[in-house]
Coordinates of all heavy atoms in Angstrom, one line a residue:
M1 N -1.2 15.1 1.2 CA -2.3 14.7 0.3 C -2.5 15.7 -0.9 O -2.6 16.9 -0.5 CB -3.6 14.4 1.1 CG -4.7 13.9 0.4 SD -6.2 13.6 1.2 CE -5.8 12.9 2.8
A2 N -2.7 15.3 -1.9 CA -2.9 16.2 -3.1 C -4.4 16.7 -3.1 O -5.2 16.2 -2.5 CB -2.6 15.5 -4.4
D3 N -4.6 17.8 -3.8 CA -6.0 18.4 -4.0 C -6.7 18.0 -5.0 O -7.9 18.2 -5.1 CB -5.9 20.0 -3.8 CG -5.3 20.4 -2.5 OD1 -5.5 19.8 -1.5 OD2 -4.6 21.5 -2.7
V4 N -6.2 17.3 -6.0 CA -6.8 16.9 -7.3 C -6.8 15.4 -7.4 O -5.9 14.7 -6.9 CB -6.3 17.5 -8.4 CG1 -6.5 19.0 -8.4 CG2 -4.8 17.2 -8.6
D5 N -7.9 14.8 -8.1 CA -7.9 13.3 -8.3 C -7.0 13.1 -9.4 O -7.0 13.7 -10.5 CB -9.4 13.1 -8.8 CG -9.7 11.5 -8.9 OD1 -8.7 10.8 -8.9 OD2 -10.8 11.2 -9.0
C6 N -6.0 12.2 -9.1 CA -5.0 11.9 -10.1 C -5.3 10.8 -11.1 O -4.6 10.5 -12.0 CB -3.7 11.6 -9.4 SG -3.8 10.2 -8.2
D7 N -6.6 10.1 -11.0 CA -7.0 9.0 -11.9 C -8.5 9.1 -11.9 O -9.1 8.3 -11.2 CB -6.4 7.8 -11.5 CG -6.7 6.6 -12.5 OD1 -7.6 6.9 -13.4 OD2 -6.2 5.6 -12.5
D8 N -9.1 9.8 -12.8 CA -10.5 9.9 -12.9 C -11.1 8.6 -13.4 O -12.5 8.4 -13.2 CB -10.9 11.0 -13.8 CG -10.7 12.5 -13.3 OD1 -10.6 12.6 -12.0 OD2 -10.5 13.3 -14.1
T9 N -10.4 7.6 -13.8 CA -10.9 6.4 -14.3 C -11.0 5.5 -13.2 O -11.8 4.4 -13.3 CB -10.1 5.8 -15.4 OG1 -8.9 5.5 -14.9 CG2 -10.0 6.8 -16.6
D10 N -10.5 5.6 -12.0 CA -10.5 4.6 -10.9 C -10.9 5.3 -9.6 O -10.3 6.2 -9.1 CB -9.1 4.1 -10.7 CG -9.1 3.0 -9.7 OD1 -10.1 2.8 -8.9 OD2 -8.1 2.2 -9.7
P11 N -12.2 5.0 -9.2 CA -12.8 5.5 -8.0 C -11.9 5.3 -6.7 O -12.0 6.1 -5.7 CB -14.2 5.1 -7.9 CG -14.3 3.9 -8.7 CD -13.1 4.1 -9.8
A12 N -11.1 4.2 -6.8 CA -10.4 4.0 -5.6 C -9.0 4.8 -5.4 O -8.3 4.8 -4.4 CB -9.9 2.5 -5.5
I13 N -8.8 5.7 -6.5 CA -7.6 6.5 -6.5 C -8.1 8.0 -6.4 O -8.7 8.4 -7.5 CB -6.7 6.2 -7.7 CG1 -6.2 4.7 -7.7 CG2 -5.6 7.3 -7.9 CD1 -5.4 4.3 -8.9
N14 N -7.9 8.5 -5.3 CA -8.3 10.0 -5.1 C -7.7 10.6 -4.0 O -7.1 9.8 -3.0 CB -9.9 10.0 -5.0 CG -10.4 9.3 -3.7 OD1 -10.4 9.9 -2.7 ND2 -11.0 8.1 -4.1
P15 N -7.7 11.8 -3.8 CA -7.1 12.4 -2.6 C -7.4 12.0 -1.2 O -6.7 12.0 -0.3 CB -7.3 13.9 -2.7 CG -7.5 14.1 -4.2 CD -8.2 12.8 -4.6
A16 N -8.7 11.4 -1.0 CA -9.2 10.9 0.3 C -8.8 9.4 0.5 O -9.1 8.9 1.6 CB -10.6 11.2 0.3
A17 N -8.4 8.7 -0.6 CA -8.1 7.3 -0.6 C -6.9 7.0 0.4 O -5.9 7.8 0.4 CB -7.9 6.7 -1.8
P18 N -6.9 5.8 1.0 CA -5.7 5.4 1.8 C -4.7 4.9 0.8 O -5.0 4.4 -0.3 CB -6.1 4.3 2.6 CG -7.4 3.7 1.9 CD -8.0 4.9 1.2
D19 N -3.4 5.3 1.1 CA -2.3 4.8 0.1 C -1.8 3.5 0.7 O -1.2 3.4 1.8 CB -1.2 5.7 0.2 CG -0.4 5.6 -1.2 OD1 -0.7 4.9 -2.0 OD2 0.6 6.4 -1.3
L20 N -2.1 2.3 0.0 CA -1.8 1.0 0.4 C -0.4 0.8 0.3 O 0.2 1.0 -0.9 CB -2.7 0.1 -0.3 CG -4.2 0.3 0.0 CD1 -4.9 -0.8 -1.0 CD2 -4.6 0.1 1.4
P21 N 0.3 0.1 1.2 CA 1.8 -0.1 1.0 C 2.2 -1.2 0.1 O 1.5 -2.1 0.0 CB 2.1 -0.4 2.4 CG 1.0 -1.0 3.1 CD -0.2 -0.3 2.5
G22 N 3.2 -0.9 -0.7 CA 3.8 -2.1 -1.3 C 3.1 -2.4 -2.7 O 3.5 -3.4 -3.3
N23 N 2.2 -1.6 -3.2 CA 1.5 -2.1 -4.4 C 2.0 -1.1 -5.6 O 1.3 -1.3 -6.7 CB 0.0 -2.0 -4.3 CG -0.5 -0.7 -4.0 OD1 0.1 0.2 -4.0 ND2 -1.9 -0.7 -3.8
S24 N 2.8 -0.3 -5.5 CA 3.3 0.6 -6.5 C 2.3 1.6 -7.2 O 2.6 2.2 -8.1 CB 3.9 -0.1 -7.7 OG 5.0 -0.9 -7.3
L25 N 1.1 1.7 -6.5 CA 0.1 2.7 -6.9 C 0.1 3.9 -5.8 O 0.4 3.7 -4.7 CB -1.3 2.0 -6.8 CG -1.5 0.9 -7.7 CD1 -2.9 0.2 -7.5 CD2 -1.3 1.3 -9.2
D26 N -0.3 5.0 -6.4 CA -0.4 6.2 -5.6 C -1.8 6.6 -5.4 O -2.4 7.4 -6.0 CB 0.4 7.4 -6.2 CG 0.3 8.6 -5.6 OD1 0.0 8.7 -4.4 OD2 0.4 9.7 -6.2
E27 N -2.5 5.7 -4.5 CA -3.9 5.9 -4.3 C -4.3 7.2 -3.8 O -5.4 7.7 -4.1 CB -4.5 4.8 -3.4 CG -4.4 3.5 -3.9 CD -3.3 2.6 -3.5 OE1 -2.3 3.2 -2.9 OE2 -3.3 1.4 -3.7
D28 N -3.6 7.9 -3.0 CA -3.9 9.1 -2.4 C -3.5 10.3 -3.2 O -3.7 11.5 -2.8 CB -3.5 9.2 -0.9 CG -2.1 9.3 -0.7 OD1 -1.3 9.4 -1.7 OD2 -1.6 9.4 0.4
C29 N -2.9 10.2 -4.4 CA -2.5 11.2 -5.3 C -1.5 12.2 -4.7 O -1.5 13.3 -5.1 CB -3.8 12.0 -5.8 SG -5.0 10.9 -6.6
D30 N -0.6 11.7 -3.9 CA 0.4 12.7 -3.3 C 1.6 12.7 -4.0 O 2.6 13.4 -3.7 CB 0.6 12.3 -1.8 CG 1.4 11.0 -1.5 OD1 1.6 10.3 -2.5 OD2 1.7 10.7 -0.3
G31 N 1.8 11.9 -5.1 CA 2.9 11.8 -5.9 C 3.9 10.7 -5.7 O 4.8 10.6 -6.4
A32 N 3.6 10.0 -4.7 CA 4.5 8.8 -4.3 C 3.6 7.6 -3.9 O 2.9 7.9 -2.9 CB 5.6 9.2 -3.4
P33 N 3.8 6.4 -4.2 CA 3.3 5.3 -3.7 C 3.8 4.9 -2.2 O 5.0 5.1 -2.1 CB 3.5 4.2 -4.7 CG 4.5 4.6 -5.6 CD 4.7 6.1 -5.4
A34 N 3.0 4.5 -1.3 CA 3.5 4.1 -0.1 C 4.3 2.8 -0.1 O 4.0 1.9 -0.7 CB 2.4 3.9 0.9
C35 N 5.5 2.8 0.3 CA 6.4 1.7 0.4 C 6.6 1.1 -1.0 O 6.4 -0.1 -1.2 CB 5.9 0.7 1.4 SG 5.6 1.3 3.1
D36 N 7.0 1.9 -1.9 CA 7.1 1.4 -3.3 C 8.2 0.4 -3.5 O 9.3 0.6 -3.1 CB 7.5 2.6 -4.2 CG 7.5 2.3 -5.7 OD1 7.3 1.2 -6.0 OD2 7.7 3.2 -6.4
P37 N 7.8 -0.9 -3.9 CA 8.8 -1.9 -4.0 C 9.8 -1.6 -5.0 O 11.0 -2.2 -5.1 CB 8.0 -3.2 -4.4 CG 6.7 -2.7 -4.7 CD 6.5 -1.3 -4.2
A38 N 9.6 -0.6 -5.9 CA 10.5 -0.4 -7.0 C 11.5 0.6 -6.5 O 12.5 0.9 -7.3 CB 9.7 0.2 -8.2
A39 N 11.4 1.2 -5.4 CA 12.3 2.2 -4.8 C 13.5 1.6 -4.4 O 13.6 0.3 -4.1 CB 11.7 3.0 -3.7
A40 N 14.6 2.3 -4.3 CA 15.9 1.7 -3.8 C 15.9 1.8 -2.2 O 15.7 2.8 -1.6 CB 17.0 2.7 -4.3
W41 N 15.9 0.6 -1.6 CA 15.8 0.5 -0.1 C 17.2 0.2 0.4 O 18.0 -0.5 -0.2 CB 14.8 -0.7 0.2 CG 13.4 -0.3 -0.2 CD1 12.8 -0.6 -1.4 CD2 12.5 0.4 0.6 NE1 11.5 -0.1 -1.4 CE2 11.3 0.6 -0.2 CE3 12.5 1.0 1.8 CZ2 10.2 1.3 0.2 CZ3 11.4 1.7 2.3 CH2 10.3 1.8 1.5
R42 N 17.5 1.0 1.5 CA 18.8 0.8 2.1 C 19.2 -0.6 2.5 O 20.4 -1.0 2.3 CB 19.0 1.7 3.3 CG 19.0 3.0 3.0 CD 19.2 3.9 4.3 NE 19.3 5.3 3.9 CZ 20.0 6.2 4.6 NH1 20.9 5.7 5.5 NH2 19.9 7.4 4.3
T43 N 18.2 -1.4 3.0 CA 18.5 -2.7 3.5 C 17.4 -3.5 3.0 O 16.3 -3.2 2.7 CB 18.6 -2.8 5.0 OG1 17.3 -2.4 5.6 CG2 19.8 -1.9 5.5
P44 N 17.6 -4.9 3.0 CA 16.5 -5.8 2.5 C 15.3 -5.7 3.4 O 14.2 -5.9 3.0 CB 17.2 -7.2 2.5 CG 18.7 -7.0 2.4 CD 18.9 -5.6 3.2
G45 N 15.5 -5.4 4.7 CA 14.4 -5.5 5.7 C 13.6 -4.1 5.7 O 12.6 -4.0 6.3
A46 N 14.2 -3.0 4.9 CA 13.6 -1.7 5.0 C 12.2 -1.6 4.4 O 11.3 -1.1 4.9 CB 14.6 -0.7 4.4
L47 N 12.0 -2.3 3.3 CA 10.7 -2.4 2.6 C 9.7 -3.1 3.6 O 8.6 -2.6 3.8 CB 10.7 -3.1 1.2 CG 9.3 -3.4 0.6 CD1 8.7 -2.0 0.3 CD2 9.6 -4.1 -0.7
R48 N 10.1 -4.2 4.1 CA 9.3 -5.0 5.1 C 8.9 -4.1 6.3 O 7.7 -4.1 6.7 CB 9.9 -6.2 5.6 CG 9.9 -7.4 4.4 CD 10.4 -8.7 4.9 NE 11.7 -8.8 5.4 CZ 12.8 -8.9 4.7 NH1 12.7 -9.1 3.5 NH2 14.0 -8.9 5.3
A49 N 9.8 -3.4 6.8 CA 9.5 -2.5 7.9 C 8.5 -1.4 7.5 O 7.6 -1.0 8.3 CB 10.8 -2.0 8.4
C50 N 8.7 -0.8 6.3 CA 7.8 0.2 5.8 C 6.4 -0.3 5.6 O 5.5 0.3 6.2 CB 8.2 0.7 4.5 SG 7.3 2.1 3.8
V51 N 6.3 -1.5 5.1 CA 5.0 -2.1 4.9 C 4.3 -2.4 6.3 O 3.2 -2.2 6.4 CB 5.0 -3.4 4.0 CG1 3.7 -4.2 4.1 CG2 5.4 -3.0 2.6
A52 N 5.1 -3.0 7.2 CA 4.5 -3.4 8.6 C 4.0 -2.1 9.3 O 3.0 -2.1 9.8 CB 5.7 -4.0 9.3
T53 N 4.9 -1.0 9.2 CA 4.5 0.3 9.9 C 3.2 0.9 9.3 O 2.3 1.3 10.0 CB 5.7 1.3 9.8 OG1 6.7 0.6 10.5 CG2 5.3 2.6 10.5
T54 N 3.3 0.9 8.0 CA 2.1 1.6 7.3 C 0.8 0.6 7.4 O -0.3 1.2 7.7 CB 2.4 1.7 5.8 OG1 3.6 2.4 5.6 CG2 1.2 2.4 5.1
C55 N 1.0 -0.7 7.4 CA -0.2 -1.6 7.6 C -0.7 -1.3 9.0 O -1.9 -1.4 9.2 CB 0.3 -2.9 7.3 SG -0.3 -3.6 5.7
A56 N 0.2 -1.4 10.0 CA -0.4 -1.1 11.3 C -1.1 0.2 11.6 O -2.2 0.1 12.2 CB 0.8 -1.2 12.3
R57 N -0.7 1.2 10.9 CA -1.4 2.5 10.9 C -2.7 2.4 10.3 O -3.8 2.8 10.8 CB -0.6 3.6 10.4 CG -1.2 4.9 10.3 CD -0.3 6.0 9.8 NE 0.3 5.6 8.5 CZ -0.5 5.8 7.3 NH1 -1.7 6.2 7.3 NH2 0.1 5.5 6.2
L58 N -2.8 1.7 9.1 CA -4.0 1.5 8.4 C -5.0 0.6 9.1 O -6.3 0.9 9.1 CB -3.8 1.0 7.0 CG -3.0 2.1 6.0 CD1 -2.7 1.4 4.8 CD2 -4.0 3.3 5.9
V59 N -4.6 -0.5 9.7 CA -5.4 -1.3 10.5 C -6.0 -0.6 11.7 O -7.1 -0.7 12.0 CB -4.7 -2.6 10.9 CG1 -5.4 -3.5 12.0 CG2 -4.3 -3.5 9.7
A60 N -5.1 0.1 12.4 CA -5.5 0.9 13.6 C -6.6 1.9 13.3 O -7.6 2.2 14.1 CB -4.4 1.6 14.2
A61 N -6.6 2.5 12.0 CA -7.5 3.4 11.5 C -8.8 2.8 11.0 O -9.7 3.6 10.7 CB -7.0 4.4 10.4
G62 N -8.7 1.5 10.8 CA -9.9 0.8 10.4 C -10.0 0.9 8.8 O -11.1 0.6 8.3
T63 N -8.9 1.3 8.2 CA -8.9 1.3 6.7 C -8.8 0.2 6.0 O -9.4 -0.1 4.9 CB -7.8 2.3 6.3 OG1 -7.9 3.6 7.1 CG2 -7.9 2.6 4.9
V64 N -8.0 -0.8 6.4 CA -7.8 -2.1 5.9 C -7.9 -3.1 7.1 O -7.8 -2.9 8.2 CB -6.4 -2.3 5.2 CG1 -6.2 -1.4 4.2 CG2 -5.2 -2.2 6.2
D65 N -8.2 -4.4 6.6 CA -8.3 -5.4 7.7 C -7.0 -6.0 7.9 O -6.0 -6.0 7.0 CB -9.3 -6.5 7.4 CG -9.2 -7.1 6.1 OD1 -8.0 -7.5 5.7 OD2 -10.1 -7.4 5.3
A66 N -6.8 -6.6 9.1 CA -5.5 -7.3 9.4 C -5.2 -8.4 8.7 O -3.9 -8.7 8.4 CB -5.5 -7.6 10.9
A67 N -6.1 -9.2 8.2 CA -5.8 -10.3 7.2 C -5.2 -9.8 5.9 O -4.3 -10.5 5.5 CB -7.1 -11.1 6.9
F68 N -5.6 -8.7 5.4 CA -4.9 -8.2 4.1 C -3.4 -7.9 4.5 O -2.6 -8.3 3.7 CB -5.6 -7.0 3.7 CG -4.8 -6.2 2.6 CD1 -4.7 -6.7 1.3 CD2 -4.1 -5.1 2.9 CE1 -3.9 -6.0 0.4 CE2 -3.3 -4.4 2.0 CZ -3.3 -4.9 0.7
C69 N -3.1 -7.2 5.6 CA -1.8 -6.9 5.9 C -1.0 -8.2 6.2 O 0.3 -8.2 5.7 CB -1.8 -6.0 7.2 SG -2.2 -4.3 6.7
A70 N -1.5 -9.1 6.8 CA -0.8 -10.3 7.0 C -0.4 -11.0 5.7 O 0.8 -11.5 5.6 CB -1.6 -11.4 7.8
R71 N -1.4 -11.1 4.7 CA -1.0 -11.7 3.5 C 0.1 -10.8 2.7 O 0.9 -11.4 2.0 CB -2.3 -11.8 2.6 CG -3.3 -12.8 3.0 CD -4.4 -12.9 1.9 NE -5.1 -11.8 1.7 CZ -6.2 -11.2 2.3 NH1 -6.6 -11.9 3.4 NH2 -6.7 -10.1 1.9
L72 N -0.1 -9.5 2.8 CA 0.9 -8.6 2.2 C 2.3 -8.9 2.8 O 3.2 -9.0 2.0 CB 0.4 -7.2 2.3 CG 1.4 -6.2 1.8 CD1 1.6 -6.2 0.2 CD2 0.9 -4.8 2.1
Q73 N 2.3 -8.9 4.0 CA 3.7 -9.0 4.6 C 4.2 -10.4 4.4 O 5.5 -10.6 4.1 CB 3.6 -8.8 6.2 CG 3.3 -7.3 6.5 CD 3.0 -7.0 8.0 OE1 3.1 -8.0 8.8 NE2 2.7 -5.9 8.2
Q74 N 3.3 -11.4 4.3 CA 3.9 -12.8 4.0 C 4.4 -12.8 2.6 O 5.3 -13.4 2.2 CB 2.8 -13.7 4.1 CG 3.1 -15.2 3.9 CD 2.0 -16.2 4.1 OE1 0.9 -15.9 4.0 NE2 2.4 -17.5 4.5
S75 N 3.8 -12.1 1.6 CA 4.1 -12.1 0.3 C 5.5 -11.4 0.0 O 6.2 -11.6 -1.0 CB 3.1 -11.4 -0.6 OG 3.0 -10.0 -0.4
L76 N 5.9 -10.5 0.9 CA 7.2 -9.9 0.8 C 8.3 -11.0 0.9 O 9.5 -10.7 0.4 CB 7.5 -8.8 1.9 CG 6.5 -7.7 1.8 CD1 6.8 -6.8 3.0 CD2 6.8 -6.9 0.5
T77 N 8.1 -12.1 1.4 CA 9.1 -13.2 1.5 C 8.9 -14.2 0.4 O 9.7 -15.0 0.2 CB 9.1 -13.8 2.8 OG1 7.8 -14.5 3.0 CG2 9.3 -12.8 4.1
A78 N 7.8 -13.9 -0.5 CA 7.6 -14.9 -1.5 C 8.8 -14.8 -2.6 O 9.3 -13.8 -2.8 CB 6.4 -14.6 -2.2
A79 N 9.1 -15.8 -3.3 CA 10.1 -15.9 -4.3 C 9.9 -14.9 -5.3 O 11.0 -14.3 -5.9 CB 10.3 -17.3 -4.8
D80 N 8.6 -14.7 -5.8 CA 8.5 -13.8 -6.9 C 8.2 -12.3 -6.4 O 8.0 -11.6 -7.3 CB 7.3 -14.4 -7.8 CG 6.0 -14.3 -7.0 OD1 5.9 -14.0 -5.9 OD2 5.0 -14.8 -7.7
G81 N 8.1 -12.2 -5.1 CA 7.9 -10.8 -4.6 C 6.5 -10.3 -5.0 O 6.2 -9.1 -4.8
S82 N 5.5 -11.2 -5.3 CA 4.2 -10.7 -5.6 C 3.5 -10.2 -4.5 O 3.7 -10.5 -3.3 CB 3.4 -11.9 -6.3 OG 3.3 -12.9 -5.4
F83 N 2.5 -9.3 -4.7 CA 1.5 -8.8 -3.7 C 0.1 -9.3 -4.0 O -0.3 -9.5 -5.1 CB 1.6 -7.3 -3.8 CG 2.9 -6.7 -3.3 CD1 3.9 -6.5 -4.1 CD2 3.1 -6.5 -1.9 CE1 5.1 -6.0 -3.6 CE2 4.3 -6.0 -1.5 CZ 5.4 -5.7 -2.4
P84 N -0.5 -9.4 -2.9 CA -2.0 -10.0 -3.0 C -2.9 -9.0 -3.6 O -2.7 -7.8 -3.5 CB -2.4 -10.3 -1.5 CG -1.5 -9.3 -0.8 CD -0.2 -9.3 -1.5
E85 N -3.8 -9.5 -4.4 CA -4.7 -8.6 -5.1 C -6.1 -8.7 -4.5 O -7.1 -8.2 -4.9 CB -4.9 -9.0 -6.6 CG -3.6 -8.9 -7.4 CD -3.1 -7.4 -7.4 OE1 -4.1 -6.6 -7.5 OE2 -1.9 -7.2 -7.4
A86 N -6.3 -9.4 -3.4 CA -7.5 -9.8 -2.7 C -8.1 -8.4 -2.1 O -7.3 -7.5 -1.9 CB -7.3 -10.8 -1.5
S87 N -9.4 -8.5 -1.9 CA -10.0 -7.3 -1.3 C -9.3 -7.0 0.1 O -9.0 -7.9 0.8 CB -11.5 -7.6 -1.0 OG -12.1 -6.6 -0.4
H88 N -9.2 -5.7 0.3 CA -8.5 -5.3 1.5 C -9.2 -4.1 2.2 O -9.0 -3.8 3.5 CB -7.1 -4.8 1.2 CG -7.2 -3.8 0.1 ND1 -7.2 -4.2 -1.3 CD2 -7.2 -2.4 0.0 CE1 -7.2 -3.1 -2.1 NE2 -7.3 -2.1 -1.2
R89 N -10.0 -3.4 1.6 CA -10.7 -2.2 2.1 C -11.9 -2.7 3.1 O -12.5 -3.7 2.8 CB -11.2 -1.3 1.1 CG -10.1 -0.6 0.5 CD -10.5 0.5 -0.4 NE -9.5 1.3 -0.9 CZ -8.7 1.1 -1.8 NH1 -8.9 -0.1 -2.6 NH2 -7.7 1.8 -2.3
R90 N -12.1 -2.0 4.2 CA -13.3 -2.3 4.9 C -14.5 -1.5 4.5 O -14.4 -0.6 3.8 CB -13.0 -1.8 6.4 CG -12.0 -2.6 7.0 CD -11.8 -2.3 8.5 NE -11.0 -3.3 9.1 CZ -11.2 -4.0 10.1 NH1 -12.4 -3.7 10.8 NH2 -10.5 -4.8 10.6

């Protein structure tokens, strides 16, 4: 986790924020987005596995709700690869 806020214009992006998987944002300011869909993944299932693992950790911590993770994982198989923009934080 970084020590400085990397986006003063967005209160959801700060060193204490959870880094949500698969949205290409670096919410926790550590320099890398969690499960970045733009990254080069070794296998087609590697991004899905990263998102599933990260989501499970965030749900267990009470950071996001399970419904958000279910929608996110379902969107990984969508033809356009889009990610849900719905509310996810608890």
Side-chain angles (χ1 to χ4, degrees):
M1 190 182 312
D3 294 332
V4 296
D5 189 344
C6 57
D7 186 348
D8 290 334
T9 65
D10 188 342
I13 297 177
N14 65 77
D19 205 1
L20 302 174
N23 65 3
S24 298
L25 298 174
D26 178 19
E27 289 99 347
D28 66 0
C29 302
D30 70 352
C35 307
D36 186 359
W41 294 92
R42 286 182 185 221
T43 65
L47 173 60
R48 288 190 297 277
C50 181
V51 169
T53 301
T54 303
C55 260
R57 182 178 49 79
L58 293 172
V59 169
T63 306
V64 300
D65 60 39
F68 167 78
C69 284
R71 288 188 308 273
L72 177 62
Q73 291 172 7
Q74 184 178 26
S75 74
L76 290 174
T77 59
D80 64 358
S82 62
F83 289 92
E85 296 296 328
S87 176
H88 53 273
R89 290 189 171 83
R90 288 185 171 234

